[in-house]
Amino acid sequence: MTSSSGASRRQVLAVAAAAATAPLLAGAPARAAEAKGPKTWDLTVLGTSDTHGNVYNWDYYKDAEYDDSRHNDVGVAKLATLVNQVRAERAGRATLVLDAGDTIQGTPLATYYAKQEPITVTGETHPMANAMNVLRYDAVTLGNHEFNYGLPLLAKWIEQLGFPALAANALNEKTGKPAYLPYVIKKVHLGGADSPTIRVGILGLTNPGSAIWDKANVEGRLIFADMIETAAKWVPIMRERGADLVIISAHGGDSGTSSYGPELPIENPVALIAQQVPGIDAILFGHAHAEVVEKFVTNTVTGEQVLTAEPSKWGQRLTRMDFTVQKVRGRWKVVTKGATMLNTNTVVEDPAVLAAVRGQHTKTVDYVNTVVAQSSQELSAAESRYKDTPILDFINHVQTEVVTTALAGTAYAGLPVLSIAAPFSRTAVFSQGDVRIRDVAGLYVFDNTLEAVVLTGAEVRAYLEYSAKYFRTLAVGATVDPTTISDPAVPDYNYDVISGLDYDIDISEPVGQRITRLVLPGTETPVADDAQFVIAVNNYRRSGGGNFPGIVKTQVYNQQQEIRQLLIDWAQAKGVIDPADFFVPNWKLVREGVPVF
């Protein structure tokens, strides 16, 4: 773990660059020689977030250039080209570059250097450090996914960065003090004939949800304070210590809601921070993967307008914030501010970033193209959200088998083992013939590990009822369109199916009354409320991710085995992936007992 004192000893690189687009969106702020009145200067802040291990514009799961229905591009290499264009445009004037977190997880490239050849073992520089150092960021905030691979790997990555990593609300549990650097104050030259300087304070806030999502990695080591309270603590300190302009880089959305229960601080509090904490000029935020070009929030204490923006995900967008400032009675004042959004699909990749990561990218591509098994037929996840499919049963079968084997000879050996899986991907497919590592990784896109707990029959029913809120209510006779069958407020990864019991979900019934049939497999014997089952489940869900009821319990199995690797190992051992070995249709959508599909 990097201490705040250790981080502060690293040199903070100020980036002085190049010409402005202001007032707000176009044109240049008036120069002193061109206008009467107080002289003004301008400052540009560029922001990225949720790059999630994307450097090249590459889809490792498809082994092809990335593309989607909106023709977005991804990657730090594309971001670097946009950043360099802005720096060139603003030659001689100040440009800062910040990131709001979730950097070292999300692609096979990032996973490879955390799992297959971990940087903590090899000493190799992480690809995201290589890429971001070329781009020359000024600061990065830690996102919740930075904690996925444990604190030693996170510390190693931070050590490799040429700029500070911030997280004011990640506290050492023993001391209560910041475990990472809370903020930096950068002395920035604004350019021009006399080149005045302004002190820009940058406060980093990470997400409290890490206490749940990465409990195994942080419990007993870190606690995560409320983001609003942390901002209220540090913003006045930064002002007292000379910050003329205060920008928060926050890894949390602006909805004011949480995906977990009330036991932790709010997951997405950015709008509340802007409203409640005086002294903030702007907030760059992430976590929600949304595209927020420019949103002003009125601070209820001062009446000032706080500029907020979120640059989508994966390097698809670059936020540009432009500030016009002037000195009034010896103090800097923000005259105007605004934000625009730049699209990375308008530029080519930066060759210097590509070169810095080329060897690691090539090694990852070779790895994910390794053939692990043959599929007897094409298996697709396209319908897994609303139909029982073999490809999702593949996950549940492997999880069930691993837990059953591990519990043999224990006090839990006599209990039936159920398994839980979610349809993470709508595009995953095992083609007939060769199945590669990238195919398995495309099916199971998260770095979850396998755990198991004991649930009663009543708890299983409650769990399924909660999961079934994923579907819209569709009355008998109403048209059912698979593309709109789900509630858009519930992401696919928060819809779970269970193997090992037979059940019906009646989508014509209200939420909470939809499990109209829950029976022992192959029978019509109802599951008793007091029956006991071992449930194989991933660590994210077992730790409280998604706020599912009853699942946050002491594990009866937890060997820290990554589920994706278990799937790969099973496929390699069998050599053939054949639905005849594992597909057991056990659930369906109905309306008044009549199957929907």
Side-chain angles (χ1 to χ4, degrees):
M1 185 184 304
T2 303
S3 68
S4 59
S5 59
S8 64
R9 285 195 297 268
R10 292 195 305 272
Q11 181 181 10
V12 176
L13 302 176
V15 176
T21 43
L24 301 186
L25 304 182
R31 314 304 292 170
E34 300 168 355
K36 298 179 180 180
K39 187 173 182 179
T40 61
W41 287 265
D42 55 272
L43 167 72
T44 292
V45 177
L46 302 177
T48 66
S49 189
D50 296 275
T51 51
H52 280 287
N54 287 281
V55 177
Y56 278 58
N57 182 43
W58 194 256
D59 187 331
Y60 292 93
Y61 305 123
K62 295 180 179 178
D63 196 27
E65 182 176 334
Y66 180 88
D67 194 22
D68 63 17
S69 61
R70 297 176 63 193
H71 301 298
N72 288 305
D73 287 348
V74 299
V76 175
K78 289 262 184 175
L79 289 169
T81 299
L82 288 176
V83 168
N84 289 336
Q85 286 181 354
V86 175
R87 283 173 172 155
E89 169 202 328
R90 293 183 49 74
R93 287 178 285 171
T95 304
L96 300 179
V97 187
L98 309 178
D99 184 88
D102 273 8
T103 304
I104 60 172
Q105 177 276 338
T107 62
L109 173 69
T111 300
Y112 190 88
Y113 289 94
K115 297 288 188 180
Q116 275 68 45
E117 294 186 16
I119 60 172
T120 48
V121 174
T122 66
E124 186 170 355
T125 302
H126 194 284
M128 291 305 287
N130 280 328
M132 296 176 80
N133 287 339
V134 172
L135 196 151
R136 292 182 291 130
Y137 278 84
D138 291 278
V140 60
T141 291
L142 302 184
N144 54 282
H145 282 288
E146 264 62 84
F147 300 95
N148 285 175
Y149 303 115
L151 301 186
L153 188 134
L154 174 55
K156 187 68 176 177
W157 176 68
I158 291 173
E159 177 187 309
Q160 294 172 346
L161 298 176
F163 48 88
L166 311 176
N169 60 320
L171 309 178
N172 183 303
E173 184 165 342
K174 292 181 179 178
T175 66
K177 296 180 179 180
Y180 304 93
L181 195 64
Y183 69 90
V184 291
I185 298 178
K186 297 182 66 67
K187 191 175 182 180
V188 179
H189 293 277
L190 291 172
D194 51 1
S195 191
T197 59
I198 188 170
R199 293 168 65 87
V200 180
I202 305 159
L203 176 68
L205 299 173
T206 192
N207 203 281
S210 294
I212 290 177
W213 305 321
D214 272 303
K215 185 176 181 179
N217 292 327
V218 303
E219 188 174 33
R221 302 175 185 181
L222 298 179
I223 55 176
F224 295 87
D226 183 277
M227 296 171 74
I228 306 170
E229 293 176 358
T230 303
K233 172 184 177 179
W234 287 106
V235 169
I237 292 174
M238 294 165 67
R239 290 288 186 181
E240 290 168 7
R241 294 178 180 175
D244 301 304
L245 189 76
V246 171
I247 298 172
I248 291 180
S249 175
H251 195 77
D254 66 348
S255 66
T257 63
S258 299
S259 64
Y260 43 74
E263 68 275 10
L264 286 181
I266 296 172
E267 179 183 353
N268 298 297
V270 163
L272 297 173
I273 295 172
Q275 289 172 1
Q276 298 176 20
V277 181
I280 301 167
D281 293 291
I283 303 177
L284 171 73
F285 67 99
H287 184 61
H289 291 197
E291 184 175 327
V292 180
V293 177
E294 174 189 73
K295 185 184 292 185
F296 286 96
V297 179
T298 303
N299 184 269
T300 55
V301 179
T302 65
E304 294 291 329
Q305 296 291 298
V306 180
L307 172 63
T308 70
E310 181 179 17
S312 189
K313 62 182 179 182
W314 305 345
Q316 293 178 354
R317 303 289 185 272
L318 176 70
T319 285
R320 174 174 179 160
M321 296 180 175
D322 288 296
F323 302 86
T324 304
V325 296
Q326 65 181 203
K327 223 166 192 179
V328 179
R329 291 188 288 276
R331 298 177 66 88
W332 285 105
K333 175 184 177 182
V334 176
V335 180
T336 62
K337 55 188 172 183
T340 54
M341 193 77 74
L342 306 178
N343 194 328
T344 56
N345 71 6
T346 63
V347 295
V348 298
E349 294 169 290
D350 178 70
V353 172
L354 295 181
V357 185
R358 181 167 289 116
Q360 295 172 315
H361 168 74
T362 300
K363 182 177 284 189
T364 303
V365 169
D366 290 344
Y367 171 73
V368 299
N369 277 292
T370 303
V371 175
V372 294
Q374 301 291 307
S375 182
S376 64
Q377 62 189 75
E378 181 176 287
L379 305 179
S380 171
E383 298 179 328
S384 292
R385 298 173 302 120
Y386 51 88
K387 285 185 181 179
D388 194 346
T389 57
I391 201 166
L392 215 59
D393 270 14
F394 168 60
I395 299 172
N396 274 330
H397 175 80
V398 173
Q399 292 182 166
T400 299
E401 190 174 272
V402 170
V403 171
T404 300
T405 300
L407 294 181
T410 72
Y412 304 100
L415 297 181
V417 177
L418 314 182
S419 179
I420 291 172
F424 293 148
S425 171
R426 300 187 184 192
T427 59
V429 62
F430 296 170
S431 298
Q432 185 176 13
D434 289 349
V435 176
R436 294 172 169 81
I437 286 175
R438 62 180 168 88
D439 301 318
V440 181
L443 171 65
Y444 207 99
V445 298
F446 295 110
D447 300 322
N448 295 331
T449 57
L450 183 61
E451 301 184 5
V453 297
V454 174
L455 263 60
T456 66
E459 289 172 325
V460 170
R461 178 181 290 275
Y463 192 101
L464 288 171
E465 288 285 9
Y466 184 87
S467 183
K469 70 185 178 67
Y470 174 78
F471 297 102
R472 296 176 184 269
T473 303
L474 295 168
V476 175
T479 301
V480 177
D481 181 352
T483 63
T484 59
I485 197 171
S486 61
D487 183 339
V490 183
D492 292 354
Y493 62 78
N494 273 345
Y495 170 60
D496 285 349
V497 302
I498 291 182
S499 68
L501 296 174
D502 294 350
Y503 62 97
D504 292 348
I505 303 171
D506 192 327
I507 59 173
S508 69
E509 295 292 336
V511 171
Q513 302 174 36
R514 291 181 164 178
I515 307 303
T516 53
R517 175 175 169 267
L518 179 61
V519 299
L520 298 178
T523 76
E524 289 303 317
T525 304
V527 172
D529 285 351
D530 61 353
Q532 289 195 316
F533 302 93
V534 171
I535 312 294
V537 63
N538 69 58
N539 66 298
Y540 171 82
R541 189 70 82 229
R542 206 283 312 166
S543 296
N547 201 29
F548 278 67
I551 200 71
V552 181
K553 293 186 175 183
T554 302
Q555 306 100 311
V556 298
Y557 166 86
N558 182 10
Q559 294 184 6
Q560 292 292 297
Q561 292 179 293
E562 190 177 276
I563 294 170
R564 182 193 298 121
Q565 191 61 47
L566 290 172
L567 299 177
I568 292 169
D569 292 346
W570 188 95
Q572 286 180 315
K574 287 283 187 179
V576 175
I577 299 175
D578 186 348
D581 293 333
F582 52 78
F583 182 40
V584 181
N586 69 295
W587 67 272
K588 60 182 179 295
L589 300 185
V590 302
R591 287 185 294 190
E592 293 186 351
V594 178
V596 174
F597 298 106

